[in-house]
Amino acid sequence: MFENLVSSYYAEEELDNAFLNKIGECFHRAKAFMTYEEKQILQDTHSFHDWYLIECWVYCEKNVKKCKIVLSKGSMVYQLFLSGIISFLTCGELVSDNANYPQSWQKSSIAQVLTLWLDYQNCFGFCLLLDNERYINIQARNLCIQK
């Protein structure tokens, strides 16, 4: 869902209005399938900008493919659960000793989050953009964000 936009995001120093409008349209579609609390979390965290990815689990339980992603900033921690996984893609090394991001040497983390994009077209499109042009792109039937 987001592959075309990702390359533009990492290539551009300033994103134009057409690009921002496209991301806004995607998020607007996804909001219709989210709870008020989830929308509020995304607003309050600025889509997890400058948070840290500290866990990423992909597993299958009773033939249901699931993913759990844990993000932290200071003492705040949120868990993102995706179930009914249709596809799971990482671009770049998810875990890399060569990744360079603020406090990478001090934080117990996998990556720094630049932003989170969401869409909904028959399923959730989930794109977690990370430092060093890495990202996680997931399509899933269900999404849940919890503190």
Side-chain angles (χ1 to χ4, degrees):
M1 287 180 169
F2 293 111
E3 290 84 0
N4 298 345
L5 297 173
V6 169
S7 59
S8 295
Y9 177 87
Y10 287 120
E12 298 292 324
E13 290 183 20
E14 286 192 37
L15 303 172
D16 63 17
N17 285 337
F19 180 90
L20 297 173
N21 288 340
K22 179 68 175 165
I23 295 300
E25 289 171 17
C26 292
F27 183 63
H28 183 73
R29 285 191 295 261
K31 285 192 325 185
F33 297 90
M34 298 169 63
T35 66
Y36 171 80
E37 292 80 14
E38 291 167 336
K39 291 182 264 192
Q40 193 64 45
I41 289 167
L42 291 174
Q43 179 179 329
D44 292 347
T45 63
H46 305 281
S47 295
F48 295 104
H49 173 69
D50 282 343
W51 282 59
Y52 292 91
L53 173 62
I54 60 173
E55 290 181 38
C56 183
W57 295 81
V58 180
Y59 53 100
C60 186
E61 180 179 275
K62 297 182 182 173
N63 293 323
V64 177
K65 297 166 190 79
K66 299 180 180 182
C67 177
K68 174 180 148 183
I69 293 175
V70 182
L71 305 174
S72 74
K73 185 173 189 176
S75 61
M76 301 276 296
V77 176
Y78 283 99
Q79 299 178 49
L80 293 80
F81 297 97
L82 294 107
S83 62
I85 301 289
I86 297 164
S87 68
F88 183 99
L89 167 78
T90 62
C91 183
E93 297 172 333
L94 185 56
V95 177
S96 173
D97 285 344
N98 296 324
N100 185 18
Y101 53 91
Q103 300 180 356
S104 59
W105 62 94
Q106 295 174 328
K107 292 271 185 200
S108 178
S109 63
I110 297 170
Q112 181 184 24
V113 176
L114 302 179
T115 193
L116 168 65
W117 293 338
L118 293 171
D119 194 358
Y120 194 93
Q121 295 180 29
N122 300 320
C123 65
F124 277 101
F126 172 98
C127 189
L128 192 63
L129 288 98
L130 307 172
D131 61 83
N132 294 275
E133 299 185 16
R134 302 180 289 166
Y135 65 92
I136 301 170
N137 196 356
I138 302 171
Q139 289 185 348
R141 289 182 178 76
N142 303 297
L143 168 70
C144 177
I145 304 172
Q146 296 178 344
K147 202 168 196 180

